[in-house]
Amino acid sequence: MHRLFAELEPSLTVTEQNLADRVRYILRSNIFDVAELERLRREAVPSSDENATAEDAAPQMVEQPANVDAAVNTPVVVDSSDDGTVAQELELEHMRSTLEEAIVETRSTPLENRPRLPRIALSKRNRAVVRALNPMLVTYLEASRDLCETDSILFGAALAVCRIIGAKVSTAGRATGHSSAIPAWRRRIEERIAKARALIGRLICFRSDNNRPRIVRTVRMAFAGTNVSLSQPDITQKLTERIDDLKQRIAAWGKRIQRYTERSTRFNQNRLFQSDQKRLYESLERPMVSGTGPAPNQADTLAFWRSLWSEPVNHSEGPWTEVVASQCAGITPMDPVIITPDDVAEAVRRAPNWKSPGLDGLHHYWLKGFMVCHSVFARQFQEALNQKSLPSLFTTGITHLVPKDQDFKFSSFFIVTFIGKQSLNEYHLAKFKKKVIANFKTTEYELDNN
């Protein structure tokens, strides 16, 4: 086939392997049907009946093996019994290309601009896609140099799964902020209400003899297509009727929001009653915070937490530290920690599937599904443990201020901190208590109870 191609296209340089790959891709992708392939073959390679002098003009063509001639001149017809195998190979080829594109895209995307991965259904089809991509990751993971690169590869694989199964992936990066909790239908209705109220204000201004160009232009647009002229004698009555009509629409839209909200509340309560009755009763006894109070000053908030976490503090060690050090002198040092793939698999197995991810946006579900990463994680975590160094991805924390009651005072916030997915140690907790007690004139007993 390569010799025939060289005779037909002497200006193109191509290797045997590249030519075979191109032919295989054309046949598997079903770009041309059997009839089209036969027509192209006849146009490219004349038969002996059509060109009797072909053997004299090119004697080297006769010397090629019979199997090559048969492979070129015989149209490819897929047997019906092989349809399932060919379809499976085509699907795997599509998965492989999607995986490669997703990994390349993830590597070139900053961590904060990664898309938000959705929670996919735990169906047989989705699990089959994850199992199909699992062996394809071996090549990429073997070339991974550190934990950050491994995390990027796994995120790309998760993104590829979402694209293959057709799951909706948010294209906006996670750095743009959290999506609004207000449903889309309510935002649309509230936008209509806001536009109607603005129009009512313009109409009232025009009725009060405010003839500014912007007001007049808005009133004309409001009466467009109604055969109402602004210079007719009963324009005041028309304005009043239009204002009343808009007010009735606003009232109807408000009732619709109330009706939809009540229906949504009933639906959520029924679903919560089936899954967690205790949580439902707690929500009924203690209503959720509406968030209508004044928000704390951002500058004061930043100054408070910066003084607590960022400024270095010099501590005078008491005599008890010497006693503790003398007691710990006889303790046998711990054996060196050896991280195995079984340790990683066990840690991943106990983790919830869809727990809120860290900065990388990768849920535990993907670590469970892509099992080939366990050995790579074990090796790279062992190297990080020996070098006593972790990437910033595993040491950067996120701090959220959560209101506890209706009064949005600065003292009514408690901190939820995730630092490397570990809780606060005793030193930071004691430092936190001391700072709060000093600033808010409270006792340690009250602080512990709160």
Side-chain angles (χ1 to χ4, degrees):
M1 183 171 58
H2 181 262
R3 288 197 298 268
L4 178 61
F5 184 86
E7 290 292 332
L8 295 175
E9 297 291 341
S11 60
L12 298 179
T13 303
V14 63
T15 62
E16 293 88 342
Q17 183 64 42
N18 191 3
L19 184 61
D21 292 340
R22 290 175 182 269
V23 173
R24 189 180 301 110
Y25 171 77
I26 293 175
L27 297 179
R28 289 183 176 179
S29 58
N30 293 330
I31 298 177
F32 307 108
D33 55 9
V34 177
E36 187 69 12
L37 286 174
E38 178 65 19
R39 185 186 64 82
L40 293 175
R41 183 195 61 80
R42 286 196 303 266
E43 293 179 358
V45 184
S47 62
S48 57
D49 297 335
E50 296 174 352
N51 190 0
T53 60
E55 296 181 359
D56 298 334
Q60 66 276 15
M61 296 290 294
V62 183
E63 299 175 0
Q64 60 184 346
N67 57 351
V68 176
D69 182 70
V72 174
N73 296 326
T74 303
V76 178
V77 180
V78 180
D79 186 68
S80 60
S81 61
D82 296 336
D83 289 347
T85 305
V86 173
Q88 185 178 4
E89 291 180 358
L90 294 176
E91 187 175 359
L92 291 177
E93 191 69 23
H94 171 67
M95 290 182 180
R96 187 176 289 105
S97 61
T98 305
L99 174 63
E100 184 175 359
E101 293 175 0
I103 291 178
V104 173
E105 178 183 343
T106 305
R107 285 177 174 175
S108 60
T109 303
L111 190 66
E112 62 275 6
N113 293 337
R114 288 182 179 178
R116 187 180 298 276
L117 295 176
R119 299 182 180 184
I120 65 175
L122 302 178
S123 61
K124 293 182 178 180
R125 176 177 175 269
N126 296 345
R127 292 174 181 173
V129 174
V130 174
R131 286 196 300 268
L133 292 185
N134 195 46
M136 300 180 188
L137 292 175
V138 176
T139 305
Y140 300 97
L141 292 175
E142 288 178 351
S144 176
R145 295 168 296 180
D146 52 18
L147 289 169
C148 293
E149 188 172 355
T150 302
D151 178 84
S152 176
I153 293 172
L154 294 178
F155 189 91
L159 183 61
V161 172
C162 295
R163 291 176 177 176
I164 292 172
I165 66 178
K168 186 177 180 180
V169 180
S170 175
T171 56
R174 292 176 291 117
T176 57
H178 297 284
S179 60
S180 176
I182 302 176
W185 60 266
R186 180 165 183 171
R187 290 198 301 269
R188 288 193 297 267
I189 297 177
E190 289 178 350
E191 290 176 359
R192 297 176 191 172
I193 293 176
K195 292 180 181 179
R197 287 175 176 172
L199 182 56
I200 289 175
R202 298 287 179 87
L203 295 176
I204 293 176
C205 290
F206 184 79
R207 192 175 59 179
S208 303
D209 297 332
N210 188 341
N211 296 325
R212 288 185 299 174
R214 182 181 299 178
I215 301 295
V216 175
R217 184 168 59 251
T218 304
V219 175
R220 286 177 179 173
M221 293 175 60
F223 288 103
T226 59
N227 296 326
V228 175
S229 176
L230 302 186
S231 59
Q232 63 187 37
D234 59 342
I235 186 63
T236 303
Q237 180 181 356
K238 297 294 184 182
L239 289 171
T240 303
E241 293 176 356
R242 181 62 173 166
I243 292 173
D244 292 341
D245 178 68
L246 292 174
K247 289 182 178 180
Q248 292 177 10
R249 290 189 180 186
I250 291 176
W253 288 332
K255 290 292 185 181
R256 183 182 300 179
I257 291 178
Q258 181 180 359
R259 186 170 65 253
Y260 287 176
T261 303
E262 291 176 353
R263 179 190 178 281
S264 177
T265 302
R266 289 195 301 268
F267 176 79
N268 293 332
Q269 289 179 350
N270 291 336
R271 185 173 58 179
L272 189 60
F273 179 80
Q274 296 177 357
S275 60
D276 193 349
Q277 297 182 10
K278 179 181 177 181
R279 185 177 170 187
L280 171 63
Y281 296 140
E282 288 179 353
S283 65
L284 295 176
E285 295 174 358
R286 183 176 55 191
M288 298 296 294
V289 178
S290 60
T292 57
N297 184 270
Q298 184 178 4
D300 296 341
T301 305
L302 293 176
F304 174 81
W305 294 110
R306 183 177 291 111
S307 63
L308 183 63
W309 296 103
S310 301
E311 296 180 0
V313 180
N314 296 325
H315 299 276
S316 58
E317 303 294 347
W320 62 271
T321 57
E322 300 179 357
V323 178
V324 173
S326 61
Q327 293 176 351
C328 296
I331 297 177
T332 304
M334 186 177 64
D335 296 334
V337 177
I338 304 299
I339 302 177
T340 63
D342 294 336
D343 297 334
V344 177
E346 180 63 20
V348 171
R349 185 188 63 82
R350 293 179 296 174
N353 282 342
W354 304 110
K355 186 178 180 180
S356 297
L359 295 178
D360 57 352
L362 194 66
H363 298 89
H364 292 138
Y365 171 82
W366 306 108
L367 301 182
K368 295 180 180 180
F370 301 132
M371 295 181 293
V372 294
C373 71
H374 295 169
S375 59
V376 179
F377 268 133
R379 172 175 55 84
Q380 293 179 347
F381 272 115
Q382 186 67 49
E383 294 174 357
L385 182 63
N386 297 336
Q387 298 174 1
K388 299 180 180 180
S389 176
L390 279 174
S392 59
L393 172 65
F394 296 89
T395 58
T396 304
I398 305 174
T399 301
H400 299 281
L401 295 179
V402 183
K404 295 180 61 177
D405 50 30
Q406 294 286 352
D407 188 10
F408 275 72
K409 294 181 180 179
F410 190 66
S411 59
S412 68
F413 284 88
F414 69 91
I415 182 172
V416 181
T417 306
F418 302 95
I419 301 180
K421 297 185 178 180
Q422 295 180 359
S423 59
L424 296 174
N425 55 32
E426 295 182 359
Y427 167 76
H428 289 96
L429 186 59
K431 185 179 178 182
F432 169 72
K433 285 184 177 182
K434 182 178 180 181
K435 193 72 174 181
V436 173
I437 292 173
N439 282 271
F440 302 115
K441 306 297 187 297
T442 183
T443 64
E444 186 172 357
Y445 174 78
E446 296 173 346
L447 183 63
D448 290 337
N449 288 342
N450 291 331

